[in-house]
PDB file of all heavy atoms in Angstrom:
ATOM      1  N   THR W   1     143.163 100.706  34.557  1.00  0.00           N
ATOM      2  CA  THR W   1     143.037  99.280  34.848  1.00  0.00           C
ATOM      3  C   THR W   1     142.395  98.560  33.671  1.00  0.00           C
ATOM      4  O   THR W   1     141.571  99.133  32.956  1.00  0.00           O
ATOM      5  CB  THR W   1     142.192  99.045  36.113  1.00  0.00           C
ATOM      6  OG1 THR W   1     142.058  97.640  36.346  1.00  0.00           O
ATOM      7  CG2 THR W   1     140.806  99.649  35.962  1.00  0.00           C
ATOM      8  N   HIS W   2     142.780  97.290  33.485  1.00  0.00           N
ATOM      9  CA  HIS W   2     142.106  96.460  32.482  1.00  0.00           C
ATOM     10  C   HIS W   2     140.944  95.698  33.120  1.00  0.00           C
ATOM     11  O   HIS W   2     140.168  95.048  32.430  1.00  0.00           O
ATOM     12  CB  HIS W   2     143.087  95.465  31.850  1.00  0.00           C
ATOM     13  CG  HIS W   2     143.456  94.321  32.751  1.00  0.00           C
ATOM     14  ND1 HIS W   2     144.380  94.431  33.762  1.00  0.00           N
ATOM     15  CD2 HIS W   2     143.007  93.037  32.801  1.00  0.00           C
ATOM     16  CE1 HIS W   2     144.488  93.265  34.388  1.00  0.00           C
ATOM     17  NE2 HIS W   2     143.663  92.406  33.820  1.00  0.00           N
ATOM     18  N   ARG W   3     140.812  95.796  34.436  1.00  0.00           N
ATOM     19  CA  ARG W   3     139.735  95.113  35.150  1.00  0.00           C
ATOM     20  C   ARG W   3     138.482  95.982  35.220  1.00  0.00           C
ATOM     21  O   ARG W   3     138.551  97.200  35.089  1.00  0.00           O
ATOM     22  CB  ARG W   3     140.174  94.743  36.572  1.00  0.00           C
ATOM     23  CG  ARG W   3     141.358  93.793  36.623  1.00  0.00           C
ATOM     24  CD  ARG W   3     141.652  93.393  38.056  1.00  0.00           C
ATOM     25  NE  ARG W   3     142.809  92.516  38.141  1.00  0.00           N
ATOM     26  CZ  ARG W   3     142.756  91.201  37.952  1.00  0.00           C
ATOM     27  NH1 ARG W   3     141.597  90.622  37.686  1.00  0.00           N
ATOM     28  NH2 ARG W   3     143.850  90.465  38.048  1.00  0.00           N
ATOM     29  N   ASP W   4     137.339  95.355  35.448  1.00  0.00           N
ATOM     30  CA  ASP W   4     136.108  96.066  35.751  1.00  0.00           C
ATOM     31  C   ASP W   4     136.111  96.283  37.260  1.00  0.00           C
ATOM     32  O   ASP W   4     135.801  95.374  38.038  1.00  0.00           O
ATOM     33  CB  ASP W   4     134.897  95.234  35.312  1.00  0.00           C
ATOM     34  CG  ASP W   4     133.574  95.940  35.580  1.00  0.00           C
ATOM     35  OD1 ASP W   4     133.555  96.864  36.421  1.00  0.00           O
ATOM     36  OD2 ASP W   4     132.570  95.562  34.968  1.00  0.00           O
ATOM     37  N   LEU W   5     136.487  97.490  37.699  1.00  0.00           N
ATOM     38  CA  LEU W   5     136.651  97.731  39.135  1.00  0.00           C
ATOM     39  C   LEU W   5     135.324  97.630  39.890  1.00  0.00           C
ATOM     40  O   LEU W   5     135.314  97.245  41.058  1.00  0.00           O
ATOM     41  CB  LEU W   5     137.290  99.100  39.379  1.00  0.00           C
ATOM     42  CG  LEU W   5     138.811  99.199  39.150  1.00  0.00           C
ATOM     43  CD1 LEU W   5     139.344 100.487  39.780  1.00  0.00           C
ATOM     44  CD2 LEU W   5     139.554  97.992  39.704  1.00  0.00           C
ATOM     45  N   ALA W   6     134.222  97.960  39.218  1.00  0.00           N
ATOM     46  CA  ALA W   6     132.927  97.812  39.893  1.00  0.00           C
ATOM     47  C   ALA W   6     132.683  96.348  40.235  1.00  0.00           C
ATOM     48  O   ALA W   6     132.187  96.015  41.326  1.00  0.00           O
ATOM     49  CB  ALA W   6     131.801  98.348  39.008  1.00  0.00           C
ATOM     50  N   GLU W   7     133.047  95.446  39.323  1.00  0.00           N
ATOM     51  CA  GLU W   7     132.902  94.013  39.594  1.00  0.00           C
ATOM     52  C   GLU W   7     133.892  93.571  40.665  1.00  0.00           C
ATOM     53  O   GLU W   7     133.571  92.717  41.510  1.00  0.00           O
ATOM     54  CB  GLU W   7     133.127  93.217  38.304  1.00  0.00           C
ATOM     55  CG  GLU W   7     133.024  91.704  38.467  1.00  0.00           C
ATOM     56  CD  GLU W   7     131.646  91.239  38.909  1.00  0.00           C
ATOM     57  OE1 GLU W   7     130.647  91.948  38.629  1.00  0.00           O
ATOM     58  OE2 GLU W   7     131.558  90.177  39.545  1.00  0.00           O
ATOM     59  N   GLU W   8     135.105  94.145  40.662  1.00  0.00           N
ATOM     60  CA  GLU W   8     136.103  93.823  41.689  1.00  0.00           C
ATOM     61  C   GLU W   8     135.587  94.236  43.071  1.00  0.00           C
ATOM     62  O   GLU W   8     135.834  93.549  44.059  1.00  0.00           O
ATOM     63  CB  GLU W   8     137.420  94.538  41.383  1.00  0.00           C
ATOM     64  CG  GLU W   8     138.125  94.065  40.122  1.00  0.00           C
ATOM     65  CD  GLU W   8     138.565  92.616  40.214  1.00  0.00           C
ATOM     66  OE1 GLU W   8     139.433  92.311  41.039  1.00  0.00           O
ATOM     67  OE2 GLU W   8     138.007  91.784  39.469  1.00  0.00           O
ATOM     68  N   VAL W   9     134.870  95.355  43.122  1.00  0.00           N
ATOM     69  CA  VAL W   9     134.269  95.792  44.389  1.00  0.00           C
ATOM     70  C   VAL W   9     133.234  94.779  44.854  1.00  0.00           C
ATOM     71  O   VAL W   9     133.211  94.362  46.021  1.00  0.00           O
ATOM     72  CB  VAL W   9     133.629  97.191  44.233  1.00  0.00           C
ATOM     73  CG1 VAL W   9     132.783  97.535  45.465  1.00  0.00           C
ATOM     74  CG2 VAL W   9     134.711  98.249  44.033  1.00  0.00           C
ATOM     75  N   ARG W  10     132.362  94.346  43.940  1.00  0.00           N
ATOM     76  CA  ARG W  10     131.327  93.372  44.293  1.00  0.00           C
ATOM     77  C   ARG W  10     131.935  92.058  44.764  1.00  0.00           C
ATOM     78  O   ARG W  10     131.385  91.375  45.626  1.00  0.00           O
ATOM     79  CB  ARG W  10     130.403  93.134  43.095  1.00  0.00           C
ATOM     80  CG  ARG W  10     129.431  94.256  42.825  1.00  0.00           C
ATOM     81  CD  ARG W  10     128.377  93.871  41.815  1.00  0.00           C
ATOM     82  NE  ARG W  10     128.922  93.786  40.465  1.00  0.00           N
ATOM     83  CZ  ARG W  10     128.995  94.818  39.631  1.00  0.00           C
ATOM     84  NH1 ARG W  10     128.578  96.009  40.020  1.00  0.00           N
ATOM     85  NH2 ARG W  10     129.489  94.661  38.417  1.00  0.00           N
ATOM     86  N   ALA W  11     133.104  91.705  44.191  1.00  0.00           N
ATOM     87  CA  ALA W  11     133.761  90.446  44.558  1.00  0.00           C
ATOM     88  C   ALA W  11     134.610  90.581  45.819  1.00  0.00           C
ATOM     89  O   ALA W  11     135.189  89.593  46.284  1.00  0.00           O
ATOM     90  CB  ALA W  11     134.629  89.961  43.395  1.00  0.00           C
ATOM     91  N   GLY W  12     134.691  91.795  46.376  1.00  0.00           N
ATOM     92  CA  GLY W  12     135.453  91.995  47.604  1.00  0.00           C
ATOM     93  C   GLY W  12     136.949  92.117  47.405  1.00  0.00           C
ATOM     94  O   GLY W  12     137.712  92.057  48.368  1.00  0.00           O
ATOM     95  N   ARG W  13     137.379  92.338  46.161  1.00  0.00           N
ATOM     96  CA  ARG W  13     138.816  92.444  45.885  1.00  0.00           C
ATOM     97  C   ARG W  13     139.297  93.888  45.784  1.00  0.00           C
ATOM     98  O   ARG W  13     140.489  94.130  45.650  1.00  0.00           O
ATOM     99  CB  ARG W  13     139.148  91.700  44.586  1.00  0.00           C
ATOM    100  CG  ARG W  13     138.977  90.186  44.678  1.00  0.00           C
ATOM    101  CD  ARG W  13     139.450  89.508  43.414  1.00  0.00           C
ATOM    102  NE  ARG W  13     138.596  89.805  42.274  1.00  0.00           N
ATOM    103  CZ  ARG W  13     137.593  89.039  41.867  1.00  0.00           C
ATOM    104  NH1 ARG W  13     137.303  87.920  42.528  1.00  0.00           N
ATOM    105  NH2 ARG W  13     136.863  89.369  40.814  1.00  0.00           N
ATOM    106  N   PHE W  14     138.359  94.824  45.835  1.00  0.00           N
ATOM    107  CA  PHE W  14     138.739  96.234  45.760  1.00  0.00           C
ATOM    108  C   PHE W  14     137.789  97.031  46.636  1.00  0.00           C
ATOM    109  O   PHE W  14     136.570  96.792  46.657  1.00  0.00           O
ATOM    110  CB  PHE W  14     138.655  96.738  44.314  1.00  0.00           C
ATOM    111  CG  PHE W  14     139.498  97.952  44.040  1.00  0.00           C
ATOM    112  CD1 PHE W  14     140.843  97.822  43.744  1.00  0.00           C
ATOM    113  CD2 PHE W  14     138.945  99.226  44.093  1.00  0.00           C
ATOM    114  CE1 PHE W  14     141.630  98.944  43.499  1.00  0.00           C
ATOM    115  CE2 PHE W  14     139.719 100.356  43.856  1.00  0.00           C
ATOM    116  CZ  PHE W  14     141.077 100.210  43.548  1.00  0.00           C
ATOM    117  N   ARG W  15     138.346  97.994  47.367  1.00  0.00           N
ATOM    118  CA  ARG W  15     137.553  98.780  48.313  1.00  0.00           C
ATOM    119  C   ARG W  15     136.586  99.693  47.576  1.00  0.00           C
ATOM    120  O   ARG W  15     136.968 100.407  46.636  1.00  0.00           O
ATOM    121  CB  ARG W  15     138.464  99.615  49.206  1.00  0.00           C
ATOM    122  CG  ARG W  15     139.245  98.809  50.222  1.00  0.00           C
ATOM    123  CD  ARG W  15     140.091  99.745  51.067  1.00  0.00           C
ATOM    124  NE  ARG W  15     139.274 100.707  51.796  1.00  0.00           N
ATOM    125  CZ  ARG W  15     139.058 100.665  53.110  1.00  0.00           C
ATOM    126  NH1 ARG W  15     139.581  99.681  53.822  1.00  0.00           N
ATOM    127  NH2 ARG W  15     138.328 101.585  53.701  1.00  0.00           N
ATOM    128  N   GLU W  16     135.346  99.698  48.039  1.00  0.00           N
ATOM    129  CA  GLU W  16     134.328 100.525  47.397  1.00  0.00           C
ATOM    130  C   GLU W  16     134.644 102.006  47.540  1.00  0.00           C
ATOM    131  O   GLU W  16     134.493 102.784  46.588  1.00  0.00           O
ATOM    132  CB  GLU W  16     132.955 100.216  48.006  1.00  0.00           C
ATOM    133  CG  GLU W  16     131.814 100.967  47.339  1.00  0.00           C
ATOM    134  CD  GLU W  16     130.463 100.563  47.902  1.00  0.00           C
ATOM    135  OE1 GLU W  16     130.419 100.106  49.067  1.00  0.00           O
ATOM    136  OE2 GLU W  16     129.456 100.711  47.184  1.00  0.00           O
ATOM    137  N   ASP W  17     135.098 102.424  48.724  1.00  0.00           N
ATOM    138  CA  ASP W  17     135.372 103.848  48.932  1.00  0.00           C
ATOM    139  C   ASP W  17     136.536 104.318  48.064  1.00  0.00           C
ATOM    140  O   ASP W  17     136.530 105.440  47.540  1.00  0.00           O
ATOM    141  CB  ASP W  17     135.627 104.162  50.413  1.00  0.00           C
ATOM    142  CG  ASP W  17     136.580 103.184  51.078  1.00  0.00           C
ATOM    143  OD1 ASP W  17     137.163 102.324  50.383  1.00  0.00           O
ATOM    144  OD2 ASP W  17     136.737 103.257  52.323  1.00  0.00           O
ATOM    145  N   LEU W  18     137.540 103.459  47.852  1.00  0.00           N
ATOM    146  CA  LEU W  18     138.655 103.827  46.984  1.00  0.00           C
ATOM    147  C   LEU W  18     138.194 103.900  45.523  1.00  0.00           C
ATOM    148  O   LEU W  18     138.618 104.790  44.772  1.00  0.00           O
ATOM    149  CB  LEU W  18     139.793 102.820  47.134  1.00  0.00           C
ATOM    150  CG  LEU W  18     141.013 103.056  46.233  1.00  0.00           C
ATOM    151  CD1 LEU W  18     141.611 104.445  46.444  1.00  0.00           C
ATOM    152  CD2 LEU W  18     142.072 101.981  46.480  1.00  0.00           C
ATOM    153  N   PHE W  19     137.332 102.970  45.141  1.00  0.00           N
ATOM    154  CA  PHE W  19     136.805 102.983  43.777  1.00  0.00           C
ATOM    155  C   PHE W  19     136.133 104.319  43.479  1.00  0.00           C
ATOM    156  O   PHE W  19     136.384 104.951  42.447  1.00  0.00           O
ATOM    157  CB  PHE W  19     135.818 101.830  43.585  1.00  0.00           C
ATOM    158  CG  PHE W  19     135.005 101.921  42.319  1.00  0.00           C
ATOM    159  CD1 PHE W  19     135.592 101.756  41.078  1.00  0.00           C
ATOM    160  CD2 PHE W  19     133.642 102.189  42.388  1.00  0.00           C
ATOM    161  CE1 PHE W  19     134.843 101.848  39.913  1.00  0.00           C
ATOM    162  CE2 PHE W  19     132.881 102.273  41.229  1.00  0.00           C
ATOM    163  CZ  PHE W  19     133.487 102.106  39.994  1.00  0.00           C
ATOM    164  N   TYR W  20     135.264 104.785  44.382  1.00  0.00           N
ATOM    165  CA  TYR W  20     134.553 106.032  44.140  1.00  0.00           C
ATOM    166  C   TYR W  20     135.494 107.238  44.186  1.00  0.00           C
ATOM    167  O   TYR W  20     135.258 108.237  43.493  1.00  0.00           O
ATOM    168  CB  TYR W  20     133.409 106.198  45.145  1.00  0.00           C
ATOM    169  CG  TYR W  20     132.254 105.278  44.846  1.00  0.00           C
ATOM    170  CD1 TYR W  20     131.849 104.306  45.760  1.00  0.00           C
ATOM    171  CD2 TYR W  20     131.562 105.363  43.639  1.00  0.00           C
ATOM    172  CE1 TYR W  20     130.790 103.452  45.468  1.00  0.00           C
ATOM    173  CE2 TYR W  20     130.510 104.508  43.350  1.00  0.00           C
ATOM    174  CZ  TYR W  20     130.131 103.549  44.263  1.00  0.00           C
ATOM    175  OH  TYR W  20     129.095 102.702  43.969  1.00  0.00           O
ATOM    176  N   ARG W  21     136.547 107.152  44.979  1.00  0.00           N
ATOM    177  CA  ARG W  21     137.518 108.231  45.020  1.00  0.00           C
ATOM    178  C   ARG W  21     138.290 108.324  43.696  1.00  0.00           C
ATOM    179  O   ARG W  21     138.610 109.419  43.217  1.00  0.00           O
ATOM    180  CB  ARG W  21     138.477 108.011  46.195  1.00  0.00           C
ATOM    181  CG  ARG W  21     139.654 108.971  46.261  1.00  0.00           C
ATOM    182  CD  ARG W  21     139.232 110.407  46.358  1.00  0.00           C
ATOM    183  NE  ARG W  21     138.482 110.691  47.580  1.00  0.00           N
ATOM    184  CZ  ARG W  21     138.016 111.898  47.905  1.00  0.00           C
ATOM    185  NH1 ARG W  21     138.208 112.909  47.079  1.00  0.00           N
ATOM    186  NH2 ARG W  21     137.345 112.078  49.005  1.00  0.00           N
ATOM    187  N   LEU W  22     138.579 107.170  43.085  1.00  0.00           N
ATOM    188  CA  LEU W  22     139.319 107.160  41.815  1.00  0.00           C
ATOM    189  C   LEU W  22     138.423 107.461  40.620  1.00  0.00           C
ATOM    190  O   LEU W  22     138.853 108.073  39.642  1.00  0.00           O
ATOM    191  CB  LEU W  22     139.986 105.793  41.606  1.00  0.00           C
ATOM    192  CG  LEU W  22     141.110 105.422  42.571  1.00  0.00           C
ATOM    193  CD1 LEU W  22     141.535 103.978  42.348  1.00  0.00           C
ATOM    194  CD2 LEU W  22     142.300 106.361  42.401  1.00  0.00           C
ATOM    195  N   ALA W  23     137.168 106.996  40.668  1.00  0.00           N
ATOM    196  CA  ALA W  23     136.268 107.088  39.516  1.00  0.00           C
ATOM    197  C   ALA W  23     135.435 108.363  39.541  1.00  0.00           C
ATOM    198  O   ALA W  23     134.228 108.332  39.276  1.00  0.00           O
ATOM    199  CB  ALA W  23     135.368 105.863  39.464  1.00  0.00           C
ATOM    200  N   VAL W  24     136.058 109.495  39.840  1.00  0.00           N
ATOM    201  CA  VAL W  24     135.333 110.764  39.786  1.00  0.00           C
ATOM    202  C   VAL W  24     134.840 110.985  38.353  1.00  0.00           C
ATOM    203  O   VAL W  24     133.690 111.325  38.105  1.00  0.00           O
ATOM    204  CB  VAL W  24     136.233 111.927  40.247  1.00  0.00           C
ATOM    205  CG1 VAL W  24     135.474 113.251  40.141  1.00  0.00           C
ATOM    206  CG2 VAL W  24     136.718 111.696  41.671  1.00  0.00           C
ATOM    207  N   VAL W  25     135.741 110.775  37.400  1.00  0.00           N
ATOM    208  CA  VAL W  25     135.361 110.690  35.989  1.00  0.00           C
ATOM    209  C   VAL W  25     135.846 109.333  35.501  1.00  0.00           C
ATOM    210  O   VAL W  25     137.042 109.017  35.581  1.00  0.00           O
ATOM    211  CB  VAL W  25     135.986 111.815  35.147  1.00  0.00           C
ATOM    212  CG1 VAL W  25     135.700 111.588  33.654  1.00  0.00           C
ATOM    213  CG2 VAL W  25     135.447 113.169  35.583  1.00  0.00           C
ATOM    214  N   ARG W  26     134.933 108.535  35.011  1.00  0.00           N
ATOM    215  CA  ARG W  26     135.244 107.159  34.602  1.00  0.00           C
ATOM    216  C   ARG W  26     135.125 107.069  33.075  1.00  0.00           C
ATOM    217  O   ARG W  26     134.064 107.327  32.513  1.00  0.00           O
ATOM    218  CB  ARG W  26     134.255 106.212  35.275  1.00  0.00           C
ATOM    219  CG  ARG W  26     134.557 104.736  35.142  1.00  0.00           C
ATOM    220  CD  ARG W  26     133.496 103.964  35.911  1.00  0.00           C
ATOM    221  NE  ARG W  26     133.649 102.526  35.806  1.00  0.00           N
ATOM    222  CZ  ARG W  26     132.750 101.654  36.235  1.00  0.00           C
ATOM    223  NH1 ARG W  26     131.637 102.097  36.805  1.00  0.00           N
ATOM    224  NH2 ARG W  26     132.963 100.352  36.107  1.00  0.00           N
ATOM    225  N   VAL W  27     136.227 106.734  32.421  1.00  0.00           N
ATOM    226  CA  VAL W  27     136.268 106.703  30.957  1.00  0.00           C
ATOM    227  C   VAL W  27     136.671 105.302  30.499  1.00  0.00           C
ATOM    228  O   VAL W  27     137.733 104.804  30.903  1.00  0.00           O
ATOM    229  CB  VAL W  27     137.267 107.736  30.394  1.00  0.00           C
ATOM    230  CG1 VAL W  27     137.331 107.651  28.867  1.00  0.00           C
ATOM    231  CG2 VAL W  27     136.875 109.142  30.835  1.00  0.00           C
ATOM    232  N   ARG W  28     135.842 104.706  29.679  1.00  0.00           N
ATOM    233  CA  ARG W  28     136.172 103.384  29.114  1.00  0.00           C
ATOM    234  C   ARG W  28     136.720 103.563  27.713  1.00  0.00           C
ATOM    235  O   ARG W  28     136.091 104.190  26.859  1.00  0.00           O
ATOM    236  CB  ARG W  28     134.928 102.492  29.064  1.00  0.00           C
ATOM    237  CG  ARG W  28     135.194 101.131  28.431  1.00  0.00           C
ATOM    238  CD  ARG W  28     133.915 100.335  28.269  1.00  0.00           C
ATOM    239  NE  ARG W  28     134.152  99.122  27.496  1.00  0.00           N
ATOM    240  CZ  ARG W  28     134.135  99.065  26.164  1.00  0.00           C
ATOM    241  NH1 ARG W  28     133.877 100.162  25.458  1.00  0.00           N
ATOM    242  NH2 ARG W  28     134.363  97.940  25.530  1.00  0.00           N
ATOM    243  N   LEU W  29     137.905 103.001  27.465  1.00  0.00           N
ATOM    244  CA  LEU W  29     138.500 103.066  26.132  1.00  0.00           C
ATOM    245  C   LEU W  29     138.026 101.862  25.323  1.00  0.00           C
ATOM    246  O   LEU W  29     138.165 100.718  25.773  1.00  0.00           O
ATOM    247  CB  LEU W  29     140.026 103.080  26.227  1.00  0.00           C
ATOM    248  CG  LEU W  29     140.637 104.223  27.040  1.00  0.00           C
ATOM    249  CD1 LEU W  29     142.154 104.205  26.909  1.00  0.00           C
ATOM    250  CD2 LEU W  29     140.077 105.563  26.609  1.00  0.00           C
ATOM    251  N   PRO W  30     137.475 102.080  24.141  1.00  0.00           N
ATOM    252  CA  PRO W  30     136.947 100.959  23.353  1.00  0.00           C
ATOM    253  C   PRO W  30     138.055 100.055  22.847  1.00  0.00           C
ATOM    254  O   PRO W  30     139.170 100.506  22.562  1.00  0.00           O
ATOM    255  CB  PRO W  30     136.226 101.653  22.197  1.00  0.00           C
ATOM    256  CG  PRO W  30     136.900 102.978  22.065  1.00  0.00           C
ATOM    257  CD  PRO W  30     137.291 103.367  23.460  1.00  0.00           C
ATOM    258  N   ALA W  31     137.742  98.773  22.740  1.00  0.00           N
ATOM    259  CA  ALA W  31     138.678  97.819  22.132  1.00  0.00           C
ATOM    260  C   ALA W  31     138.792  98.122  20.643  1.00  0.00           C
ATOM    261  O   ALA W  31     137.896  98.727  20.043  1.00  0.00           O
ATOM    262  CB  ALA W  31     138.171  96.397  22.351  1.00  0.00           C
ATOM    263  N   LEU W  32     139.883  97.689  20.028  1.00  0.00           N
ATOM    264  CA  LEU W  32     140.112  97.981  18.618  1.00  0.00           C
ATOM    265  C   LEU W  32     139.025  97.355  17.742  1.00  0.00           C
ATOM    266  O   LEU W  32     138.627  97.944  16.739  1.00  0.00           O
ATOM    267  CB  LEU W  32     141.496  97.489  18.201  1.00  0.00           C
ATOM    268  CG  LEU W  32     141.977  97.890  16.803  1.00  0.00           C
ATOM    269  CD1 LEU W  32     141.920  99.404  16.605  1.00  0.00           C
ATOM    270  CD2 LEU W  32     143.395  97.375  16.560  1.00  0.00           C
ATOM    271  N   ARG W  33     138.540  96.182  18.113  1.00  0.00           N
ATOM    272  CA  ARG W  33     137.498  95.532  17.310  1.00  0.00           C
ATOM    273  C   ARG W  33     136.179  96.304  17.360  1.00  0.00           C
ATOM    274  O   ARG W  33     135.293  96.080  16.532  1.00  0.00           O
ATOM    275  CB  ARG W  33     137.277  94.097  17.790  1.00  0.00           C
ATOM    276  CG  ARG W  33     136.806  93.994  19.222  1.00  0.00           C
ATOM    277  CD  ARG W  33     136.693  92.568  19.703  1.00  0.00           C
ATOM    278  NE  ARG W  33     136.434  92.513  21.122  1.00  0.00           N
ATOM    279  CZ  ARG W  33     137.396  92.563  22.051  1.00  0.00           C
ATOM    280  NH1 ARG W  33     138.659  92.655  21.686  1.00  0.00           N
ATOM    281  NH2 ARG W  33     137.093  92.518  23.341  1.00  0.00           N
ATOM    282  N   GLU W  34     136.040  97.220  18.334  1.00  0.00           N
ATOM    283  CA  GLU W  34     134.838  98.034  18.440  1.00  0.00           C
ATOM    284  C   GLU W  34     134.922  99.284  17.571  1.00  0.00           C
ATOM    285  O   GLU W  34     133.935 100.015  17.438  1.00  0.00           O
ATOM    286  CB  GLU W  34     134.605  98.458  19.899  1.00  0.00           C
ATOM    287  CG  GLU W  34     134.398  97.301  20.854  1.00  0.00           C
ATOM    288  CD  GLU W  34     134.360  97.767  22.298  1.00  0.00           C
ATOM    289  OE1 GLU W  34     133.945  98.920  22.547  1.00  0.00           O
ATOM    290  OE2 GLU W  34     134.749  96.986  23.187  1.00  0.00           O
ATOM    291  N   ARG W  35     136.089  99.535  17.011  1.00  0.00           N
ATOM    292  CA  ARG W  35     136.272 100.725  16.170  1.00  0.00           C
ATOM    293  C   ARG W  35     137.143 100.379  14.961  1.00  0.00           C
ATOM    294  O   ARG W  35     138.183 100.983  14.724  1.00  0.00           O
ATOM    295  CB  ARG W  35     136.885 101.863  16.985  1.00  0.00           C
ATOM    296  CG  ARG W  35     138.188 101.525  17.718  1.00  0.00           C
ATOM    297  CD  ARG W  35     138.672 102.733  18.494  1.00  0.00           C
ATOM    298  NE  ARG W  35     139.983 102.583  19.086  1.00  0.00           N
ATOM    299  CZ  ARG W  35     141.054 103.312  18.731  1.00  0.00           C
ATOM    300  NH1 ARG W  35     140.970 104.202  17.775  1.00  0.00           N
ATOM    301  NH2 ARG W  35     142.211 103.133  19.331  1.00  0.00           N
ATOM    302  N   ARG W  36     136.686  99.371  14.230  1.00  0.00           N
ATOM    303  CA  ARG W  36     137.468  98.865  13.100  1.00  0.00           C
ATOM    304  C   ARG W  36     137.751  99.941  12.060  1.00  0.00           C
ATOM    305  O   ARG W  36     138.756  99.861  11.346  1.00  0.00           O
ATOM    306  CB  ARG W  36     136.740  97.690  12.449  1.00  0.00           C
ATOM    307  CG  ARG W  36     136.676  96.446  13.322  1.00  0.00           C
ATOM    308  CD  ARG W  36     136.025  95.278  12.617  1.00  0.00           C
ATOM    309  NE  ARG W  36     135.861  94.153  13.511  1.00  0.00           N
ATOM    310  CZ  ARG W  36     136.819  93.273  13.789  1.00  0.00           C
ATOM    311  NH1 ARG W  36     137.991  93.391  13.209  1.00  0.00           N
ATOM    312  NH2 ARG W  36     136.588  92.285  14.626  1.00  0.00           N
TER     313      ARG W  36
END
């Protein structure tokens, strides 16, 4: 996802239990400007 799912959970747009089921291992890919 390109969204911050934790924030989506707080906003009520994504189920918390599904988030934790998907985010067993949570990996953020850095933007290109962060690794010039």
Side-chain angles (χ1 to χ4, degrees):
T1 178
H2 74 281
R3 299 185 182 276
D4 181 340
L5 282 195
E7 179 63 26
E8 294 296 294
V9 170
R10 285 191 288 272
R13 292 186 292 265
F14 202 84
R15 289 181 61 107
E16 184 176 25
D17 46 7
L18 178 57
F19 168 69
Y20 286 118
R21 173 59 63 179
L22 293 173
V24 178
V25 173
R26 189 178 177 189
V27 178
R28 177 186 172 275
L29 302 187
L32 188 55
R33 62 184 172 275
E34 299 172 29
R35 54 181 188 115
R36 292 183 186 277

